Amino acid sequence: MIRYFTAHRTAGNLLMLAIIILGIYGVARMRRETFPDFASDIVAVDMTYPGAASSEIEENLVFKIEDAVDGIDGIAEINSLARDGFCSVRAKVLDGYDARSVQLDIQNAIDRIDTFPADADKPIVYELKQPDRVLSLAVYGNAPPRQIEAMAEKVKDELIASPLISLVTVAGFSEHEISIELSRESLMQWGLSVPDIARAVAAGSVDMPVGSVEDVTGKTTIRVTDQARDADDFADIVIVTSRQGGMIRLGDVAKISDTYEENDRFIRFDGQPAALVHIDATDTEDSLKIAAEVQRIVAGIRQRGDLPQTVHIATWGNLAEAVESRLNLLINNGLIGLILVLLALTMFLNIRVAFWVAMGIPVSFLGTIFAMQ
């Protein structure tokens, strides 16, 4: 081959030009990430059943999924979670087994189950992978927690709207809950008891299937969707109705407030209450492009004044900066090395020969980068 390219210099030059062009194309398509990908050893099955209690979820979904998955080769253990309206079953893959093959076996086993409730959504089987953290945003200020959470959710919605960003989560708050405080005086005044209030609240806040109707076009599920979502909705629940048409509502006998579960963990940024908006990258996304897009969106939020004066937003834990600095260090070291090689060769060879020998280094790198795509 050396003899051929020595005799046909044009072919050698064309080959080198092709390698350079393909290498530049490979560099442009190269995904830059914070950490390398690791093989996953967890396969998850998620399923939703709107309106069902956790006990129904366990009996009608979890047990059936576990029975179907149990016995599949390559599974070390199975862990399940059941809560109102949702369940997740996770299978740990044994060392030496391919997670994708196990995922396919689990998918086939789940597809054979024909006894799921008709109102349950289709199960989702996927390989559980750790997302690549890019950076976080701190939304903080001297404001009520509900306002900070609302602003953090607003920032999240703007980020998700970008086609470059797909994984955004908000952290810093415990589960949201509605607090209903009853006084003995109010209960005695209206002749009510705590069980009376509990039954009225349960009956007045409902989201569940109640039946179905079949016709020639198919089956239609009938649902009652009258679930109270906030303090105003709960305050409007009717507790007692008189024969004359008068009504006593929950807001007349109780103090209702939006609050959070008691939790000894909280986040503070710059000494003030805060929420963290985490931005992650999937295994097909570029960390540096995501970081640049986040900075552009944050700059737009600040410029438009979308946040109240008491609420601020700041970048925290920008891991993409570390990726960028490492890449810059790699490029600088490569250029310095190339110059040193060129200078060393010119001490023993003429400048023309030294140049073409040194050119073999970047051409080799570009060819390798393209081959790795």
Side-chain angles (χ1 to χ4, degrees):
M1 184 175 291
I2 295 176
R3 181 179 300 175
Y4 174 82
F5 284 112
T6 302
H8 302 82
R9 297 181 180 181
T10 303
N13 292 334
L14 290 175
L15 177 61
M16 182 183 68
L17 182 61
I19 292 175
I20 292 174
I21 293 174
L22 293 175
I24 294 173
Y25 172 74
V27 170
R29 294 182 65 249
M30 185 170 57
R31 186 172 68 91
R32 296 161 295 182
E33 56 188 356
T34 309
F35 299 104
D37 290 333
F38 295 96
S40 174
D41 62 348
I42 300 291
V43 177
V45 182
D46 291 349
M47 196 169 182
T48 56
Y49 184 12
S54 57
S55 57
E56 296 179 80
I57 293 290
E58 185 177 31
E59 181 178 353
N60 294 315
L61 303 184
V62 173
F63 289 160
K64 294 177 181 180
I65 294 174
E66 289 180 343
D67 290 341
V69 172
D70 189 28
I72 293 178
D73 289 339
I75 295 180
E77 61 181 43
I78 300 173
N79 297 299
S80 302
L81 167 69
R83 64 170 185 255
D84 292 350
F86 173 80
C87 75
S88 179
V89 179
R90 299 186 177 185
K92 183 176 177 59
V93 180
L94 285 169
D95 292 339
Y97 282 83
D98 181 44
R100 293 186 179 180
S101 298
V102 175
Q103 176 186 347
L104 183 60
D105 293 339
I106 292 176
Q107 181 70 68
N108 293 333
I110 298 296
D111 290 341
R112 289 194 291 269
I113 301 176
D114 57 3
T115 56
F116 283 135
D119 301 318
D121 294 333
K122 185 178 180 180
I124 300 173
V125 182
Y126 60 96
E127 188 179 347
L128 189 64
K129 292 185 177 181
Q130 182 68 28
D132 191 17
R133 178 62 46 83
V134 178
L135 77 160
S136 299
L137 298 175
V139 180
Y140 66 100
N142 185 18
R146 287 286 292 168
Q147 186 179 18
I148 293 178
E149 184 185 25
M151 292 300 102
E153 290 291 342
K154 183 177 181 180
V155 172
K156 173 186 174 181
D157 292 340
E158 287 214 31
L159 293 171
I160 287 292
S162 170
L164 296 178
I165 303 172
S166 58
L167 297 178
V168 183
T169 56
V170 176
F173 296 95
S174 54
E175 291 293 327
H176 178 244
E177 67 179 14
I178 300 295
S179 173
I180 301 175
E181 300 179 32
L182 301 170
S183 66
R184 180 177 299 179
E185 292 76 12
S186 297
L187 294 177
M188 293 179 62
Q189 178 183 354
W190 300 104
L192 299 171
S193 65
V194 174
D196 293 334
I197 302 295
R199 284 192 293 269
V201 171
S205 179
V206 180
D207 183 2
M208 61 182 297
V210 294
S212 60
V213 176
E214 293 189 27
D215 56 20
V216 293
T217 61
K219 186 176 182 180
T220 303
T221 301
I222 301 175
R223 298 182 60 85
V224 175
T225 56
D226 192 25
Q227 185 171 8
R229 303 291 180 181
D230 53 32
D232 292 337
D233 291 341
F234 278 93
D236 202 42
I237 293 176
V238 177
I239 304 298
V240 177
T241 303
S242 67
R243 294 180 179 179
Q244 291 76 25
M247 292 182 293
I248 301 174
R249 302 182 184 274
L250 183 60
D252 299 327
V253 299
K255 178 183 177 182
I256 306 170
S257 57
D258 285 344
T259 183
Y260 298 89
E261 291 181 355
E262 292 187 6
N263 196 330
D264 57 357
R265 294 180 298 174
F266 57 90
I267 296 175
R268 300 185 75 85
F269 187 88
D270 199 18
Q272 296 177 318
L276 288 180
V277 182
H278 298 303
I279 299 95
D280 300 321
T282 66
D283 56 1
T284 60
E285 295 174 338
D286 188 290
S287 295
L288 296 189
K289 290 181 180 179
I290 290 177
E293 179 71 0
V294 170
Q295 298 296 352
R296 184 190 67 80
I297 293 173
V298 170
I301 292 174
R302 289 172 176 157
Q303 186 175 7
R304 294 191 304 269
D306 291 346
L307 298 178
Q309 292 184 352
T310 56
V311 179
H312 312 282
I313 185 170
T315 302
W316 181 80
N318 190 350
L319 298 178
E321 290 181 348
V323 177
E324 188 172 15
S325 64
R326 291 169 187 169
L327 288 174
N328 290 335
L329 179 63
L330 180 64
I331 293 172
N332 291 335
N333 288 345
L335 291 175
I336 293 173
L338 181 62
I339 293 172
L340 291 176
V341 169
L342 183 60
L343 291 176
L345 289 174
T346 55
M347 296 175 61
F348 304 99
L349 304 171
N350 65 63
I351 186 65
R352 184 168 176 267
V353 175
F355 172 78
W356 286 112
V357 172
M359 279 295 294
I361 298 175
V363 171
S364 299
F365 272 104
L366 290 173
T368 302
I369 290 173
F370 174 75
M372 292 174 61
Q373 296 298 313

